[in-house]
């Protein structure tokens, strides 16, 4: 078993790191303060292929693998959690649904512009009364035989990227009596080709949040939105399967984001303790500090290896769902532990917004919540163990 990255992956890692340092770091604090994602940065991420890493060149993607994508997620998240989730939702949720379940025609029409840099996507599953319980959703899609269209009515909340996204993969009930087996998936344009808002679609202002504040995260309402039947992914009733498959892959990205947040916070704390002097010497010279740093790095490396394992299993076509859940469960917990310890090591300065560890701590919390809470991850892992 080889635990080392290939030369190709090392080169990719270095490229992602340089991009994060030169393009994201100078504006990360400002984006967080203003709670607005920089659209020039988004355009650069499209231009340099960060939004289409694991997808085929046939449709305009980079042609990389999921490990490459995980490396990108870690490097950008070391600098900014908001950028991490912006890439994640577009890549591992929206695009994966179309790539995994779309026809060749749908991939040409919808996937190509998403991964060649033309458009940005989002993913509409969560509703105010339907988070982990997807069967509790109320959004409906009624088929109109006369026009061969579906009419969608309902609303989604916490839809990341929705403030600027061009299209959304939306999940809606086509047969309410069937529960999760009555959910279908649709590609729904949020904008017209001229950039104006699509008819019947309303996007709220950003939901004010504790962390990942620069990411666009809104409530999206659909009122009599007509979508051609050709925009349905898979068959009627396959929506829940499509949504869960996307979340399995998405959890690898969130695990990588968690590793990045933790490593970024540790890097900041390490630089600080080398310079900060107390009692006549740097606090890094104290054994208690060294032991704390050693514990933090050990946990990060363990989370990183679990994340890489899940990514490699996906790349090799294995059953990666349980491994992705374990990686997200462990890495998100590590991110919160390490970010708290980083703030503690830096004392009062760590609590100040002048230093990025304060932002990392706020951003880390959401990794235990989105794309399945820690409790849901434990259910997935326990289910794979065949305990009953």
């Amino acid at each position: 078993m080889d635990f080392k990255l290939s030369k190709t992956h090392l080169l990719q890692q270095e490229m992602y790191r340089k991009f994060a340092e030169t393009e994201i770091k100078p504006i990360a604090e400002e984006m967080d303060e203003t709670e607005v994602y920089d659209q020039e940065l988004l355009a650069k991420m499209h231009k340099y292929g960060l939004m289409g890493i694991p997808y085929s060149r046939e449709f305009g993607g980079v042609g990389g693998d999921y490990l490459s994508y995980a490396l990108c997620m870690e490097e950008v998240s070391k600098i900014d959690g908001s950028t991490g989730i912006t890439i994640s939702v577009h890549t591992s949720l929206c695009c994966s649904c179309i790539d995994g379940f779309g026809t060749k025609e749908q991939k040409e029409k919808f996937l190509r512009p998403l991964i060649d840099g033309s458009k940005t996507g989002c993913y509409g599953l969560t509703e105010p009364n339907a988070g982990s319980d997807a069967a509790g959703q109320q959004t409906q899609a009624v088929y109109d035989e006369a026009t061969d269209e579906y009419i969608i009515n309902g609303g989604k909340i916490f839809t990341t990227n929705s403030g600027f996204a061009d299209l959304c993969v939306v999940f809606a009930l086509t047969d309410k009596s069937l529960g999760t087996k009555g959910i279908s998936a649709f590609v729904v344009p949020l904008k017209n080709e001229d950039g104006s808002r699509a008819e019947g679609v309303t996007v709220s202002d950003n939901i004010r949040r504790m962390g990942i504040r620069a990411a666009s995260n809104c409530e999206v309402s659909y009122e009599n939105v007509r979508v051609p039947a050709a925009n349905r992914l898979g068959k009627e009733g396959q929506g829940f399967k499509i949504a869960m498959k996307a979340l399995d892959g998405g959890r690898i990205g969130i695990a990588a984001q968690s590793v990045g947040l933790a490593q970024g916070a540790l890097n900041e704390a390490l630089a600080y303790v080398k310079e900060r002097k107390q009692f006549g010497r740097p606090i890094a010279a104290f054994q208690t500090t060294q032991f704390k740093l050693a514990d933090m790095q050990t946990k990060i490396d363990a989370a990183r290896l679990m994340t890489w394992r899940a990514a490699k299993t996906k790349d090799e076509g294995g059953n990666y769902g349980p491994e992705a859940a374990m990686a997200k469960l462990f890495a998100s917990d590590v991110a919160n532990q390490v970010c708290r310890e980083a703030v503690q090591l830096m004392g009062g300065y760590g609590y100040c917004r002048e230093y990025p560890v304060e932002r990392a701590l706020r951003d880390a919390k959401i990794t235990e919540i989105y794309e399945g809470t820690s409790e849901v991850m434990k259910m997935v892992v326990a289910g794979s163990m065949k305990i009953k």
Side-chain angles (χ1 to χ4, degrees), residues 278-294:
Q278 292 286 277
F279 309 105
R281 55 178 175 158
I283 58 177
F286 294 100
Q287 195 173 64
T288 52
T289 302
Q290 295 171 9
F291 283 2
K292 186 170 286 190
L293 292 167

Side-chain angles (χ1 to χ4, degrees), residues 181-224:
K181 293 183 179 179
I183 298 173
S184 301
F186 302 89
V187 180
V188 180
L190 300 184
K191 294 179 181 178
N192 299 313
E193 289 303 317
D194 63 2
S196 61
R197 182 62 64 203
E199 186 176 358
V201 175
T202 303
V203 180
S204 75
D205 292 335
N206 266 338
I207 298 167
R208 292 172 64 83
R209 304 175 306 281
M210 180 175 85
I212 57 165
R213 300 195 312 186
S216 170
N217 195 289
C218 310
E219 186 168 359
V220 185
S221 300
Y222 303 89
E223 185 176 355
N224 295 324

Side-chain angles (χ1 to χ4, degrees), residues 13 41 55 85 102 138 148 163 205 218-219 224 228 233 246 277 281 287 326 336 352-353 377:
Q13 185 183 51
L41 174 58
Y55 296 107
I85 194 58
Q138 299 298 312
D148 194 28
D205 292 335
C218 310
E219 186 168 359
N224 295 324
L233 295 174
K277 290 185 178 180
R281 55 178 175 158
Q287 195 173 64
M326 282 188 275
N336 280 271
C352 295
R353 278 152 61 177
M377 295 306 96

Side-chain angles (χ1 to χ4, degrees), residues 27-201:
I27 60 174
E29 181 182 354
E30 180 184 357
M31 289 197 300
D32 180 72
E33 290 288 343
T34 60
E35 302 187 27
V36 176
Y37 201 80
D38 189 286
Q39 293 302 291
E40 289 186 10
L41 174 58
L42 180 67
K44 288 177 182 177
M45 292 195 298
H46 275 297
K47 179 181 178 181
Y48 293 111
L50 272 64
M51 307 292 271
I53 292 170
Y55 296 107
S56 170
R57 294 180 186 275
E58 178 186 359
F59 295 104
V62 173
D65 55 18
Y66 228 73
L67 179 55
S68 301
Y69 164 65
L71 294 174
C72 176
M73 281 293 295
E74 178 180 344
E75 294 304 322
V76 300
S77 299
K78 283 180 185 177
I79 303 301
D80 181 43
S82 291
T83 296
I85 194 58
T86 298
I87 295 173
S88 175
V89 169
H90 170 92
T91 304
S92 59
L93 295 186
C94 179
C95 292
S96 72
C97 290
I98 303 169
D99 185 61
F101 294 90
T103 63
K104 188 172 183 179
E105 291 74 20
Q106 288 174 325
K107 290 180 184 180
E108 188 63 43
K109 183 176 181 181
F110 302 121
L111 184 62
R112 178 178 293 281
L114 287 171
I115 61 179
D116 73 5
S118 306
K119 294 184 178 180
T120 303
C122 57
Y123 175 91
L125 178 64
T126 302
E127 297 185 7
N129 295 310
S132 299
D133 179 18
Q137 68 175 285
Q138 299 298 312
T139 299
Q140 295 190 51
V142 177
Y143 181 63
D144 184 349
E145 189 174 355
T147 60
D148 194 28
E149 295 174 317
Y150 285 88
I151 304 171
I152 300 177
N153 281 283
K156 302 294 181 177
I157 198 169
F158 301 130
T159 308
T160 302
N161 293 351
S162 55
F164 49 74
D166 300 281
L167 58 83
C168 185
V169 174
V170 177
F171 299 89
L173 289 164
T174 44
D175 189 336
K176 195 172 183 179
S177 67
L178 296 177
T180 57
K181 293 183 179 179
I183 298 173
S184 301
F186 302 89
V187 180
V188 180
L190 300 184
K191 294 179 181 178
N192 299 313
E193 289 303 317
D194 63 2
S196 61
R197 182 62 64 203
E199 186 176 358
V201 175

